[in-house]
Each structure stands twice: as C-alpha cells, then as structure tokens.
Amino acid sequence: MHPFDYIQPGSVAEAVGLMRDTADARFLAGGMTLIPVMKQRLAAPSLLIDLARLAELRAISAKGGTLTIGALARHAAVAESPVVQARIPALASLAAGIGDAQVRNRGTIGGSLANNDPVADYPAAMLALGARIRTDRRCIDADAFFTGMFATALEPDEMIIQVEVPVPEAAAYQKFEQPASHYAVAGVMVAKAADGVRVAVTGAGSGVFRMPAMEAALADDFTPAAITGIAVPADGLNADLHASAEYRAHLVTVLAGRAVAAAMGRS
Amino acid sequence: MIAIALTVNGKPVAAEVEPRRLLVDFLRDELGLTGTHIGCDTSQCGACVVHMDGVSVKSCSLLAVQADGSQVTTIEGLASDGDLHPMQAAFREHHGLQCGFCTPGMVMSAIDLAARVPEPSPADVREWLSGNFCRCTGYHNIVQAVMAGARAMSTDG
Ligand SMILES: Cc1cc2nc3c(=O)[nH]c(=O)nc-3n(C[C@H](O)[C@H](O)[C@H](O)COP(=O)(O)OP(=O)(O)OC[C@H]3O[C@@H](n4cnc5c(N)ncnc54)[C@H](O)[C@@H]3O)c2cc1C
Ligand code: FES
Ligand code: FES
C-alpha cells in the first residue's frame, strides 16, 4: 500500500467537510473492498476518512411501511436483525449470503451500495424493493442511484447516511454464486408491492438492471409459470471464466422463476 | 505515525503505527504473535482470522489503526494456564489439522460460530467456514472438531 493519512471524524458534517477539502480522500466503512483494492495499489487515496465513530449510522429501525437501515450497518447485523427478519426476510437472507462470515462481520450496506460492484447483492435488493438512498444532502431513488459499472449518482464528497426500504407484500432473492468469492454469477431479486412487481438482476450485466417484461407478466400473474417463456437476450451480458453471456442469460430466467416461487411461499 | 492503544489477549498494548500498517503485520512483526498466519493476503483464505471485540475478522484486511481502542484476541490468547481452549482441544482430539497452517484461523472462526450457534450442524459448519481454506485435511475432520468444540463450549458454560 502507498502511504496515506488517516482520520476518524466525530460527525457526518466533519467527515463530509474533510472529503470536500482534501484531494483524493476516500471514506472508509468496513474496508472489505477498499483495503484489498489499496493493497493491490489499484487505489491510492491521500486520506482515509474512517466512519467508525459515527455509531448512529449503524441503526436499523422500522416505522409504518418503511424499514430504515443505517449506512454503517454490517451485513451480519442486517442478517441477524429481528426487525429485518420480520419485515423483509428476503433482505435478511440476502445479507446472510454475502461473502463469508468475516466479510459479513465488517462489510456495510453503505459501502456496498457506494461501490456498486456489478456482481454485488445489495444493489439488486435496493432496486427491486424501490428503496431510497438518503445521503448527507438529498434522497436518491434506487432507479436513479445505480448508473453503471462501479458508478453511482453520488457526488465525489457525498456520503450515504441510510437506506429507506418500503416493506413489500412479498420478496425473494436467488443467487447463483461463484463458489470461491460468493459473488453473484447471476442474482435476481423479485418484490411484489401494492403498486406492482419489480425484478432486478445483478451479476449478469455491467451493472444492476430491471426486467420490465417480467415485471409486466408478474403483475398479471404472480407465478413462476408467467415468466418461464421470457428469454433474456445475451447481448451485452458479462462473459468471463465463470460463465458465458448465454449461460448468464439462461440463469436470469431460471433464478427469476425460483425467486417468484420463494416469494409466493413467503407472502 | 498514529498512536494506538488496544488490548491484545487481555494485556494493554500502546504503539505508534503508520496508517498503512495492517493489523496482521502489527500482531506478527511488532508483538511477535506469529500464530496468526498470512496465507493469501487477499481476504480469501482465513489464515489470518482473529477476534476484534468478540467477532471474527480477517486481520489482513484491517488496518492496525482501525483496531485502536478494541479488544483483540489471537490464537495465543485462547489457552489459560496451559489448558487448551475447548475448541483447540477438539481440533487435537478429532485430528482437525495436518500441517496446521490454516488451524489458527479455523479455530478463531469456529469459536465465533459456536458463540452464535451452540449446536451447529455439519452444514452450518461448512457454510460458516466458507472463508477458511484448508489445503490438507479435506475438511471432514475439521467439521467434526468444530461440532465437538462447540458442544464442549456450551457445556463449559
Ligand atoms: C472475500 C470477499 C467476498 C465478498 N463477497 C461478496 C458477495 O458475495 N456479495 C457482495 O455483495 N459483496 C461481497 N463482498 C464485498 C463486501 O460486501 C464489501 O463489504 C462491500 O462491497 C463494501 O462494503 P465496505 O463497508 O467494506 O466498504 P469499504 O470497502 O470501506 O468502501 C467501499 C467504497 O465505498 C465507499 N463508501 C463506504 N461507505 C460509504 C458511505 N457511507 N457513503 C459513501 N461512500 C462510502 C468507500 O469510499 C469506498 O470507495 C466480498 C468481499 C470480500 C473481501
Ligand atoms: S491472509 Fe487474510 S484472508 Fe488470507
Ligand atoms: S492443515 Fe494444512 S492447510 Fe489446513
């Protein structure tokens, strides 16, 4: 790693101020992405602004039809939270399936969303559930938040504070994981709410995306049979040593069907 | 350099470290606690697992400055008065190791599982240890050892 300075600010305002005033600074949350990337010298920030002291950003709560998860909530905390398990069990089990136990003990939802790895799990959940990402300065709909591979709508000095997730009638996530890293070769989150059905896909493309044809079919008939005939074009999907684009396209339809079946079991 | 103060295996430690100092290097090179191993150095293998404030973490993916103010336990901190920790004893009893390189990380990770799930099933153990690689044993005896160790920990109270 290249040398850098390190600071643990005591407030969100201080952290954002440091970020604004320092060239090449980065926020540090769980460090499960940023530290390995720095060790590989793919990133060389001048200053790490460690958010560890902002304990209020670890809170998880529910009010009315909204589940609120602080940016610094760790994957293990989301997985084990009775509040998440009661309101959106699919989100608790998604968190329980991220990486391995030690990654879940450190990694945070805010770090995962800010990083927007095209094979990460949380982006699919946020998009399918129609979550809002609240930052230090505004609220961004999931539909506008994820803008491409490792890219988000966040401004360079903007910090995620929490996510606000509408509780659906039913939801489920299915992932076909790469067995060494547990990242998604393909993953599909399906959510059924009063205002319609949303289907979000991770792992398969250059970033998370929705499947409008499946959403329309499921709005009429929320069963796996409604979408088994909906083929996903392989054009533009990821192809690597783990899977071809055609295989990923096939997986998306299979996983979407399984997610609908699982969601029906939960509704 | 940044001043840090933490507790390692029950003893207070104060030091000045560079921000880029990894926790695993701090433990091994500055405190001489070489029981914590470095296998992959890329957050995959689990040879470097220690406990920080009671939960298992990969010390190759943490900075020493992030451990400031925390309680760190390494494999050296488990035995008391020459008596092996029940999880260590179970690894010996069930031949849960061959070369032993992965063992410190396995044991530290397994204790975290046992704290959450007092009677883990073989599937629970395999799932939990998915971030701990062993190149010798084929895992079978590790799974037996962790189940026995978890049982022993819950009967020990
Ligand atoms: C072995 C391994 C396996 C993994 N497997 C999976 C998997 O199966 N599925 C999966 O989804 N992920 C997986 N991950 C990634 C893991 O979930 C990371 O925790 C996550 O991507 C990043 O979260 P973090 O808190 O560690 O962020 P950090 O690494 O601390 O930060 C990541 C980026 O986000 C920025 N950031 C952090 N917090 C904020 C904030 N509040 N506001 C704005 N920017 C912020 C940082 O500046 C940095 O650029 C894996 C990681 C490892 C090491
Ligand atoms: S050395 Fe830390 S996970 Fe391999
Ligand atoms: S005993 Fe040799 S690597 Fe596990």
Side-chain angles (χ1 to χ4, degrees):
Chain A
M1 265 186 285
H2 292 290
F4 53 86
D5 292 324
Y6 173 90
I7 191 163
Q8 286 191 2
S11 71
V12 170
E14 191 189 341
V16 172
L18 283 161
M19 192 71 173
R20 190 183 49 234
D21 296 341
T22 321
D24 297 326
R26 292 281 279 273
F27 294 126
L28 176 68
M32 289 297 102
T33 293
L34 186 52
I35 291 176
V37 165
M38 287 170 63
K39 285 168 73 178
Q40 293 169 315
R41 298 190 172 182
L42 296 172
S46 62
L47 171 69
L48 281 191
I49 303 168
D50 188 349
L51 308 181
R53 276 170 62 200
L54 310 180
E56 68 278 12
L57 301 192
R58 298 201 190 284
I60 299 175
S61 64
K63 199 169 165 204
T66 304
L67 175 67
T68 300
I69 304 177
L72 292 182
R74 297 194 167 112
H75 307 333
V78 173
E80 291 168 7
S81 160
V83 177
V84 181
Q85 288 171 353
R87 301 299 198 294
I88 316 184
L91 192 58
S93 61
L94 174 145
I98 296 176
D100 56 51
Q102 288 73 37
V103 169
R104 294 193 294 274
N105 280 342
R106 293 294 305 170
T108 68
I109 188 167
S112 178
L113 297 177
N115 193 49
N116 193 20
D117 190 318
V119 296
D121 298 303
Y122 271 132
M126 295 302 108
L127 191 58
L129 292 164
R132 293 175 298 274
I133 290 99
R134 188 168 294 280
T135 73
D136 62 289
R137 63 199 68 166
R138 60 185 167 145
C139 198
I140 310 173
D141 283 337
D143 281 297
F145 183 83
F146 304 106
T147 55
M149 195 188 275
F150 295 105
T152 68
L154 291 173
E155 290 168 14
D157 60 350
E158 192 167 6
M159 190 200 294
I160 301 175
I161 301 299
Q162 62 189 34
V163 296
E164 297 161 6
V165 193
V167 175
E169 290 169 10
Y173 179 64
Q174 292 284 314
K175 117 163 125 166
F176 189 86
E177 64 180 36
Q178 201 275 318
S181 71
H182 308 281
Y183 277 110
V185 173
V188 181
M189 181 92 176
V190 173
K192 180 173 183 285
D195 58 354
V197 177
R198 292 165 65 107
V199 178
V201 179
T202 189
S206 60
V208 63
F209 61 88
R210 287 173 65 184
M211 287 292 304
M214 289 186 182
E215 292 177 357
L218 290 168
D220 288 341
D221 175 18
F222 195 74
T223 63
I227 53 172
T228 39
I230 301 180
V232 179
D235 290 352
L237 295 192
N238 300 337
D240 54 27
L241 78 169
H242 305 305
S244 65
E246 291 73 19
Y247 187 60
R248 282 192 165 86
H250 179 75
L251 276 180
V252 171
T253 303
V254 171
L255 294 172
R258 287 183 190 169
V260 173
M264 287 169 74
R266 268 178 180 154
S267 61
Chain B
M1 299 290 259
I2 293 185
I4 58 171
L6 60 160
T7 307
V8 179
N9 297 334
K11 296 194 197 78
V13 172
E16 296 241 314
V17 293
E18 253 196 291
R20 62 176 168 169
R21 190 77 160 147
L22 293 172
L23 179 60
V24 69
D25 293 328
F26 177 71
L27 293 171
R28 288 176 55 86
D29 299 348
E30 287 177 44
L31 303 185
L33 296 170
T34 53
T36 301
H37 292 162
I38 303 173
C40 63
D41 205 21
T42 57
S43 358
Q44 314 280 331
C45 77
C48 65
V49 172
V50 300
H51 288 192
M52 194 164 111
D53 293 329
V55 300
S56 57
V57 296
K58 291 180 172 174
S59 62
C60 75
S61 305
L62 272 166
L63 305 170
V65 286
Q66 291 178 281
D68 184 26
S70 71
Q71 304 263 350
V72 171
T73 307
T74 69
I75 191 76
E76 290 92 342
L78 292 183
S80 56
D81 298 329
D83 287 334
L84 292 181
H85 182 281
M87 189 62 76
Q88 291 174 303
F91 268 70
R92 184 166 72 179
E93 170 73 18
H94 292 268
H95 306 287
L97 63 150
Q98 288 179 21
C99 80
F101 191 84
C102 69
T103 313
M106 288 284 179
V107 169
M108 298 312 289
S109 185
I111 292 172
D112 191 5
L113 169 65
R116 293 168 206 242
V117 187
E119 292 217 14
S121 68
D124 291 337
V125 175
R126 285 178 186 276
E127 166 61 30
W128 183 267
L129 293 181
S130 70
N132 290 85
F133 298 173
C134 176
R135 298 292 79 153
C136 300
T137 63
Y139 298 99
H140 180 82
N141 286 357
I142 291 177
V143 176
Q144 303 301 310
V146 173
M147 289 168 62
R151 266 196 307 277
M153 279 172 65
S154 60
T155 29
D156 278 14

